Amino acid sequence: YCAVSPHTLDVVDYNIKFKENFQLALLVFIVPSITFLAVFDAKENDINELVNTFYTSFTVGYLLSFLLEIIFTTVIRLGVFLIWEPAIFSLAPTVPVIVLPWTLREHRYRPKRITLFAADFATSCVAAPIIEEYMKLKILQLSIKLPRNFQWRKNGKDSNHHHPSSSSSSNKKKKKKKKK
C-alpha cells in the first residue's frame, strides 16, 4: 500500500513519497480506534482478554484465514475451470493440478472472461466472506468465554420448568419413600 510510483524517482523524492503514502495508510486506524474507545467499558471488560483476543486474531486468525482462502480459492477455481474450461486440464501432465489455476499466464492460456468472472465472484464474494466470518467466530470462541443466553436441557426436557407429569411422578416417588 505504500509503494511509490514512478519507481524512477531519485532516492530523496522516493523516500518523501513513501512517507506520504505510509501516513495515508495509517489513517485507516483512526475510525476503528475511535469506535473501540467509544464502546469499551473497563468495568465490564477484562483488558487481558482483549489483548489476548487481539493477539490471537492477528497471529492465528490471519494465518488460518489466509491458508483457508488459498485452499478454497484453488478448489473453486479448479471447479469453475472444470465446468467452463475443461481444456485447461490438458496442461495437467506437465503442470500439477493443484498449481494449475495459478500458472495459466506462464503457459500462455487465456480463459474466457466469463470463466474468470465466475471464479473471482465465487471466491471473492462467496467463499472469502464465509471463511473470514467463520474465523472471526472461532477466534472469539477460542479467546474468551461468551455468555450463555439459554438454559441447558436434560433428556429433552427443560431443566427449569417441570412438566406436570414429571412433577407428579416425582411427588409419587417421595410419598412412597415416606410410607416406607
Side-chain angles (χ1 to χ4, degrees):
Y1 295 111
C2 298
V4 175
S5 180
H7 294 291
T8 56
L9 292 175
D10 63 81
V11 175
V12 175
D13 290 335
Y14 187 90
N15 288 340
I16 290 170
K17 286 289 189 186
F18 182 85
K19 183 180 176 186
E20 289 173 2
N21 289 350
F22 188 71
Q23 289 171 339
L24 282 173
L26 286 177
L27 290 176
V28 301
F29 290 106
I30 292 174
V31 173
S33 299
I34 292 171
T35 305
F36 169 75
L37 293 173
V39 298
F40 181 74
D41 184 9
K43 290 183 253 178
E44 295 183 18
N45 296 299
D46 181 11
I47 193 70
N48 293 325
E49 285 183 354
L50 179 78
V51 170
N52 182 35
T53 303
F54 186 78
Y55 175 77
T56 305
S57 65
F58 274 96
T59 54
V60 177
Y62 275 138
L63 181 64
L64 286 178
S65 292
F66 175 73
L67 292 175
L68 283 174
E69 286 183 20
I70 292 294
I71 292 167
F72 275 88
T73 299
T74 302
V75 170
I76 289 170
R77 288 178 73 96
L78 284 172
V80 169
F81 291 152
L82 185 64
I83 294 169
W84 279 306
E85 300 266 346
I88 289 176
F89 292 97
S90 65
L91 299 171
T94 58
V95 179
V97 174
I98 297 296
V99 295
L100 186 61
W102 308 107
T103 60
L104 295 178
R105 284 187 185 167
E106 288 82 11
H107 293 89
R108 293 182 175 85
Y109 190 94
R110 294 189 50 99
K112 297 177 203 165
R113 289 183 185 176
I114 188 68
T115 305
L116 293 176
F117 172 76
D120 288 344
F121 181 82
T123 55
S124 300
C125 300
V126 178
I130 291 171
I131 291 169
E132 290 167 7
E133 294 304 317
Y134 178 78
M135 286 306 302
K136 287 178 192 176
L137 174 65
K138 287 301 167 188
I139 291 299
L140 184 65
Q141 290 174 341
L142 177 71
S143 299
I144 63 172
K145 292 180 182 177
L146 296 174
R148 300 290 181 194
N149 294 331
F150 56 90
Q151 297 292 325
W152 287 101
R153 293 176 166 238
K154 294 181 182 178
N155 298 329
K157 296 179 182 176
D158 193 9
S159 60
N160 288 338
H161 303 292
H162 296 288
H163 296 287
S165 61
S166 64
S167 63
S168 64
S169 64
S170 63
N171 287 339
K172 290 177 185 177
K173 290 178 185 177
K174 288 178 186 177
K175 288 180 184 179
K176 285 182 183 179
K177 287 182 182 179
K178 286 181 182 180
K179 287 182 183 178
K180 292 182 183 179

